[in-house]
Each structure stands twice: as structure tokens, then as C-alpha cells.
Amino acid sequence: TTPSSVEDVISFFNDDIDSQLLRTQIQVFATHFASDDDVSLRDCLSYLCQLSNDHCQLYSEVCTIARLLLVVPATNAVSERSFSTVRRIKSYLRTTMLQGRMNHLMFLNVHKDLLDNLCLKTTGNEFVCGSEHR
């Protein structure tokens, strides 16, 4: 790794890591790959996966960065679909919708595959029987 790429990672994940500790851990971590000319991310992840829990604690910030890199989406298509869904749900006619209702509708939209298998009659009966006031 080059110093500028490390600084880019630190500035991007600044709120999630201890930057000084990460710098130190990367220096130690790099010694394991000093003899290799071409080290890939897969090589680094394989090495981290082979470590015991005690040794993982020595590279706590490096492991955190690895986890964060593994969950960063490769594209922004998912977020774009989410915004399109929000636009459909919260249309011009429903601009006064509160946040709680919006969250529930978004949750239902995301998990619509589960809703398709739901028996509405059973759900309605459970809802009515759930409270004496209904």
C-alpha cells in the first residue's frame, strides 16, 4: 500500500476507525507480505481469516476496514432503487405522510416477497383478536 492510499482509506472511514492505530497496524500487517511483489485483497483477507481471535485483536482496525470494504456496494443501483421506491410511495398526493408510516411502507416494499406468501385472512383474524378494542 502507498501512504496516499492509506490516507484515502482513513479519510473515507474516519468515523469508524482509530486512524493512528490503523496506521500502526498496517505497518505491522505489511511485514507479513514484504517478500511478495503482488499482493491482492484476496490474499490479505485469506491471511486475516486464518488468524486466531487473539491475533485478530492485534489487527482490530485492519479487520474493521476489511469488513467495511466487504459490505460497500460495488454500484449505487440499490440506493437508486430505494429512492425510486420512496418517490412512488410518497407521491405528490401523500406529501403529509409521517416518517413512521413511511418507514413501515418501505419495509413492506423491501420484503414484498414475504408478503406475497402471507395469508390475509389469517393476518386479519390475528389483528382483530389481538386487542379487545377492535
Side-chain angles (χ1 to χ4, degrees):
T1 61
T2 63
S4 65
S5 63
V6 171
E7 292 305 317
D8 290 342
V9 168
I10 288 172
S11 67
F12 189 79
F13 294 113
N14 191 31
D15 295 336
D16 301 310
I17 57 167
D18 178 352
S19 57
Q20 189 58 42
L21 185 57
L22 178 65
R23 285 183 188 95
T24 304
Q25 289 179 3
I26 285 177
Q27 288 175 349
V28 175
F29 188 75
T31 61
H32 297 288
F33 300 101
S35 61
D36 297 339
D37 291 336
D38 189 29
V39 179
S40 68
L41 179 60
R42 184 181 304 260
D43 297 333
C44 294
L45 292 174
S46 296
Y47 177 76
L48 287 173
C49 288
Q50 294 171 1
L51 294 176
S52 67
N53 286 339
D54 294 335
H55 286 103
C56 252
Q57 292 301 317
L58 295 174
Y59 298 117
S60 60
E61 297 301 309
V62 173
C63 290
T64 300
I65 290 295
R67 280 189 216 101
L68 290 170
L69 288 174
L70 290 173
V71 298
V72 171
T75 67
N76 61 355
V78 173
S79 60
E80 288 179 11
R81 278 195 298 269
S82 296
F83 283 114
S84 295
T85 301
V86 168
R87 189 172 55 241
R88 276 194 314 274
I89 290 175
K90 191 170 182 173
S91 65
Y92 176 74
L93 298 175
R94 292 190 229 163
T95 56
T96 60
M97 187 183 311
L98 296 177
Q99 188 66 39
R101 182 180 176 107
M102 177 67 126
N103 290 343
H104 292 122
L105 289 172
M106 288 297 294
F107 181 82
L108 292 173
N109 186 65
V110 167
H111 298 288
K112 59 185 160 196
D113 56 329
L114 298 174
L115 291 174
D116 291 340
N117 299 327
L118 194 64
C119 177
L120 295 178
K121 188 173 186 177
T122 305
T123 305
N125 287 336
E126 288 177 10
F127 179 75
V128 170
C129 294
S131 174
E132 294 179 13
H133 299 294
R134 295 186 193 130

